[in-house]
Amino acid sequence: MKVRSSMFASFVLICEVVGIAIFLRGFFPLPVKSSLSSKNTMSDLPAEPLSGRSPNSSHLPQTLFKRVVIMLVDGLREDFVFGANGRMYMPYTRHVVERGSSHSFVAKARPPTVTMPRIKALTTGSIPGFIDVVMNLNSPALLEDNLIWQAKTAGKRIVFYGDDTWVRLFPKHFMEYDGTTSFFVSDYTEVDNNVTRHLDSILKRDDWDILILHYLGLDHIGHISGPHSSLIQPKLLEMDDILKKIHGALISKEVDESLPYLLVLCADHGMSETGSHGGSSEPELNTPLVLVSPAFRRKEVGFEQFRVAEKAHGSWMKLYLEGNTSEVLSNMGKKVLKQYLEALAAMSSALSKQLGKYDMYSMIAGMVFVFQLLLVLLLALPEALSGAAVVELPIVSALLSLPFYLLCLLLASVHVLVCTSAESSCYFCSLSWGLVFAVVAFSSAMFCILISMATRRLPLGPKIHGKSPLTSTAADCSLSELDVLLLAGTIGHTLSLAASSFVEEEHQTWYFLLNTLCLAVFQDVCRKYFREKSTSGEEEHILPSKDYQPSAHPKADVYSEKWLALATPLFTLVCCRLLRSLNQTGVQWAHLPDVGHWLNSSEHKIILSLLSAFCLVLIYLLVQRRCSWVSKVALALGLLGVYSYRAAVGNVLFPWQHSGHAVSKGTVEARFVYVFVLGILFTGTKDLLRSQIITADTKLKSRGLWEIYSGLVLLVSLLFRAHNLPVLCCCLLIQTLMAQFIWRKLHYDAAQITIMHYWFGQGFFYFQGNSNNIATIDISVGFVGLESYIEAPAIFLTALSTYAGPLLWVCHLVCYLSSERDWSPVVLCHGCYCLALLRSVPAAAYIVLVTVLRYHLFIWSVFSPKLLYESMHLLLTAGVCLFFNTMEQSHSVSLREQKD
């Protein structure tokens, strides 16, 4: 069976997405549950320490506090309270900490530092599972033993106001509640006012025992403008006034002989230097924990007794270590040592039981599935990159062969054996037999196809078509320096993912590869213009078109083109170096100040405004060249709307606008831009459909593709923060210069151009400020133009903004390969196949690495977030390859109709 290489690559990627999903289902364990099958009751009181006997009392300990108020401020970093600016940010809280009756601590959270897992940790005392990051969007009810359930069971009346995550985790637990959505990050005022408006009435009432307040405004400000924003101090002062108000109300109700109150100020997580969270940096992990109660004033006696006991213990240890020969002291020391060792052994055993239980069956099944597809993709390489771009798959012969049926029986037997002997539940074992048989049959067929292709390829050797690092073999070793660089760089990057430091600082790898690529391209340009002898007949215009007219001064044009071609890789090097300084990313140096922080400071708002205006004008000049006049007008108005949106939310200024104006959400301005984005996309889609259905006009098709690309650029410019607009400008500028003076003029083939696009896309992913840390995902862009949280558009906009760099470069690749009319129609097939191979190799290698390193110290903080990034990138690439396949089919039809 013969299939086009683009269709073959798309099918392989879709199947790999399924395989990765199976692997993820087995790799990410379910949240760790309590070792007890049910919640604790009165009969579950622990044994007496040391003796191991039953507890002395059959009653619960005496109540210490009459009322408890828990004030949880989402995103509150410890330096906001205890740092140098604490007296300025939260003066009353600092006064209580330093001179009041309180205990204060720096609480250290465990990653992932997102709200729902941290609430579970605070209420259950357990370490949440990493899969809770995904479940954070839709929190299920918490069935594990927790403080809220225990308090309700004990008859405590609980009132809650704030983040509705609590309501979803603890349904029917609160006597009274009012939840607010936590995902609409553009709102940092009303979301807190909806909590504070209940305080006056609830503090006067006596019909509650526990009051929980969860404030979200500070976290939302962090997502919007970072921890150094001018909005941070007013919000912290507001939180400080609220704590003062609560404290004063509790003091006024205090009676001498009654039980004291307890006021708790805490946070679920902090925020990084960019204002996000989810990772494991110190600003995200360290949060304040302040306990305020008049009971802490009566602590001198007990505290002194503890100090005396501590000193006595130290003296005893000192005498023992000095070799005291007292028999009593010696026996006591041996007994204490034995108790320590037994306690450590018991804790080690309990900890090992609490480790995440991997579903190894699902992991191995997904891994084998992915590697089968990768090997088939590699074996099809000679045919996929041939002049015909057709892959012959022996599907019929494989399905009719005896090994296929034997493999089906073998795999089915293995499945039965695993499911009947597994101690823990496996995902595969819960599937229906029909679905299991389909998976077994597909895997068996893939194995037979793999063997058939291998036996057909290896004896004869692959046939080479073209000069590409992916198609060279021992029979044709004419690899250029660029071929070696592209091949070695891609393989070297894949191998570097085995080290946690390389994963944390992966941007350094891509920065190095991009700089080396620019130098290699510069070498090729110098070789072409200074070492090769060219005749006048060989010189041609860079971008031939129907509108091209021969110049009256051909020598001057060739001379200028030569120097522009020489300047392009050097200019690209300069752009990459400047963009590296724009956003500090990674882990080791993410805390250092960068140009982005400097531009976002209030003192430099005028400079940021001028830079944003210049970038938007440059974006228009670079994008509008290939659009129709309707799209040009829409693009200009849309970019004006982008600047208006940034001015409305307070990032930039209009010339007539005062710096102290009121900041809005910019909803109207953002929707204004969305209208023009949809208009441009509609115009481009209309031209594409006309070129495919009505008339076979390649020029109309090319214009439609570039209009869709311009609509994507407009949408990205709206989602990018103001200081990141230079990233988009440099992206478009490098694409334009490379297309005009490098790729076609130096006769690079589709495989080489695809790899270059992939490398640049990866580099610009990090130029945006992204990393392999969840904390760098900017979730605030998911609410641009929205007045409430709507899950589907929020996820789409967040994913588009995060992967804007790779998507822009891949979409440019489709447009560029489709618009080159002098090239063979198979270039789209070659590009799609190379893109699929470039994504499949690191994805397949990485799932092996995380399986081997599943008990590594940094498996959840470093390797697991990278696994999610790789999976999402593979899914997006599969979607782009489907678009590749559509364009390739229409391109082939158009060429056949033109020939006819």
Side-chain angles (χ1 to χ4, degrees), residues 13 16-17 20 24 493 506 510 757-763 765-766 772 799 802-810 835-836 838-840 842-843 865-881:
L13 276 182
E16 284 184 352
V17 169
I20 292 288
L24 292 177
H493 164 258
E506 187 182 357
W510 287 112
H757 275 80
Y758 177 77
W759 280 22
F760 274 108
Q762 292 295 102
F765 174 81
Y766 295 103
N772 291 323
T802 303
Y803 290 93
L807 284 176
L808 284 175
W809 278 93
V810 173
L835 187 63
L838 287 169
R839 273 281 76 227
S840 299
K866 174 62 178 175
L867 179 60
L868 294 178
Y869 275 107
E870 286 289 325
S871 304
M872 188 64 185
H873 200 172
L874 184 69
L875 177 62
L876 293 175
T877 306
V880 172
C881 282

Side-chain angles (χ1 to χ4, degrees), residues 5 8-9 377-378 380-381 384-385 828-837:
S5 59
F8 168 70
L377 197 66
L378 288 171
L381 187 146
L385 296 182
L828 281 171
C829 297
H830 292 171
C832 182
Y833 176 83
C834 292
L835 187 63
L837 191 60

Side-chain angles (χ1 to χ4, degrees), residues 30-67:
L30 294 175
V32 177
K33 302 296 183 183
S34 174
S35 57
L36 297 174
S37 60
S38 61
K39 298 182 176 68
N40 286 332
T41 61
M42 180 62 206
S43 60
D44 297 318
L45 286 175
E48 286 288 331
L50 300 179
S51 65
R53 291 175 298 183
S54 301
N56 295 328
S57 174
S58 60
H59 302 285
L60 288 174
Q62 185 178 0
T63 302
L64 298 178
F65 302 103
K66 180 180 181 181
R67 285 186 174 183

